[in-house]
């Protein structure tokens, strides 16, 4: 199960998952009750260029992409020369020494302790202060969904899965087994408020069925209850995995379930 915690109005699209902590001190006592993890939504160079065009940039996309490619190549060359690189005002990518070294080490031995280090700029840190989580989810550490992704989709938008395409679900404790168990497409009334079980849409049995990964084919034969081509605001769904197996594939006394973050379902 997962539960949304209290939130102020979000200032960004940051999803925080909170898990029971397994960290212990030297005496074996648990340190803290929970730990938090963030799944970063990465913006590609192409997406940055598209955002700049939407913001009114008059330079063509081709020119921006070419300039980005040249700058990236030049920055890598500078790193290869041992120089720290300013990354578009976001901070400096340079080098640091990891672990302990001895004064009589050779240059080659010391170089094996080198690692890349990023120092954010004041402007980047200021931007971070303006961000609030858009969703905080408390997860049962025994079973959870960390990623839902359509495979072989020609175009893939963020938080969107596609009908008539393979679907990959990643997480922990997901192996499906037992009676009344399976994978379901669940209408979301709103974030983390799910439709009654009678409205859940059963999906085909996974052809890859492991605790860490499920893969199945998302058909285009079920009714989503809206016209995906003309609807102004698409409804939200999530993927639910219901199983009576524990992470070791042994039968539980009762079923457990995990829900993904909200996604939109589209026809290709």
């Amino acid at each position: 199960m997962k539960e949304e915690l209290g939130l102020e109005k979000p200032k960004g699209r940051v999803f925080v998952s909170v898990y029971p902590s397994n960290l212990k001190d030297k005496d074996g006592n648990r340190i803290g009750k929970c730990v938090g993890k963030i799944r970063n939504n990465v913006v590609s160079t192409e997406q940055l260029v598209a955002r700049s065009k939407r913001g009114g940039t008059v330079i063509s996309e081709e020119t921006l992409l070419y300039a980005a490619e040249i700058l990236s190549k030049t920055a890598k060359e500078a790193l290869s020369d041992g120089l720290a690189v300013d990354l578009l005002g976001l901070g400096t990518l340079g080098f640091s020494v990891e672990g302990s070294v001895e004064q009589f080490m050779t240059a080659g031995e010391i170089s094996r302790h080198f690692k890349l280090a990023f120092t954010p700029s004041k402007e980047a840190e200021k931007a971070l202060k303006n961000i609030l989580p858009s969703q905080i989810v408390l997860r049962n550490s025994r079973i959870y969904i960390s990623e839902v992704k359509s495979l072989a989709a020609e175009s893939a938008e963020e938080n969107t899965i596609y009908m008539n395409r393979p679907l990959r679900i990643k997480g922990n404790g997901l192996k499906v087994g037992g009676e009344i168990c399976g994978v379901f497409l669940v209408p979301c009334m709103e974030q983390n408020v799910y439709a009654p079980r009678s409205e859940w849409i059963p999906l085909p049995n996974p052809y890859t069925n492991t605790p860490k990964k499920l893969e199945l084919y998302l058909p285009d034969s079920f009714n989503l209850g809206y016209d995906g081509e003309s609807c102004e605001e698409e409804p939200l769904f999530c993927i639910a995995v219901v199983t009576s197996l524990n992470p070791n594939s042994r039968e539980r006394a009762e079923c457990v379930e995990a829900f993904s973050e909200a996604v939109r379902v589209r026809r290709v």
Side-chain angles (χ1 to χ4, degrees), residues 86-92 118-127:
D86 176 24
L87 298 180
L88 302 175
L90 296 175
T92 303
F118 178 73
T119 304
S121 66
K122 292 182 179 180
E123 289 78 8
E125 291 180 339
K126 183 178 178 180

Side-chain angles (χ1 to χ4, degrees), residues 155-203:
S155 60
E157 294 186 21
E158 184 181 353
N159 300 323
T160 302
I161 59 176
Y162 295 85
M163 301 169 67
N164 203 32
R165 288 289 184 272
L167 181 67
R168 176 177 292 161
I169 305 166
K170 298 176 72 173
N172 186 64
L174 300 179
K175 187 172 183 179
V176 174
E179 296 182 4
I180 69 169
C181 296
V183 184
F184 301 87
L185 187 64
V186 180
C188 295
M189 315 303 290
E190 55 184 273
Q191 285 284 2
N192 290 47
V193 179
Y194 311 120
R197 182 68 71 97
S198 60
E199 298 180 20
W200 292 16
I201 302 170
L203 298 179

